[in-house]
Amino acid sequence: MNLLMEFIFEVILEGAIEGVKSKKVPKLVRIILFAIILSPFFSIIVLMIYLSLIIDSGPMIKVIFLAVALIIGIFLINLIKEMIKKYKNN
């Protein structure tokens, strides 16, 4: 069952990535697909920030959660900038 779910999510994400890259797909659909790709990463960032606020394990654990959220956030910002630059060049 776990392998089946992994396969389904892989197909959905691969299809969304190919759809975002294709010029044949309408712009609105590409934006929706891009949002589908970004939503898991954004939810992980929100989860890390939430955990850093409510966890009682000490300040070091909070800093680690915030650092992971910051690293993923920087990655997403760079990814979005690259996609915008690539879209404007084409």
Side-chain angles (χ1 to χ4, degrees):
M1 185 68 175
N2 194 14
L3 185 62
L4 179 64
M5 292 299 289
E6 181 181 341
F7 178 72
I8 290 171
F9 284 125
E10 184 177 333
V11 168
I12 290 171
L13 282 178
E14 289 293 324
I17 290 170
E18 291 299 319
V20 168
K21 291 179 183 178
S22 177
K23 291 289 184 177
K24 295 179 182 179
V25 178
K27 186 175 181 180
L28 180 63
V29 174
R30 284 187 285 176
I31 292 171
I32 292 170
L33 291 174
F34 190 65
I36 289 172
I37 293 169
L38 288 182
S39 63
F41 296 109
F42 185 71
S43 64
I44 291 172
I45 291 172
V46 170
L47 177 67
M48 291 294 172
I49 292 172
Y50 176 72
L51 287 175
S52 70
L53 293 175
I54 66 162
I55 199 163
D56 291 332
S57 294
M60 192 62 182
I61 302 298
K62 290 182 178 193
V63 170
I64 290 172
F65 279 130
L66 287 175
V68 170
L70 182 68
I71 290 169
I72 294 172
I74 291 170
F75 169 75
L76 285 179
I77 290 170
N78 287 336
L79 180 67
I80 291 169
K81 284 181 181 178
E82 184 178 318
M83 292 295 287
I84 290 172
K85 184 171 52 172
K86 187 175 182 180
Y87 182 72
K88 286 184 178 180
N89 287 338
N90 290 333

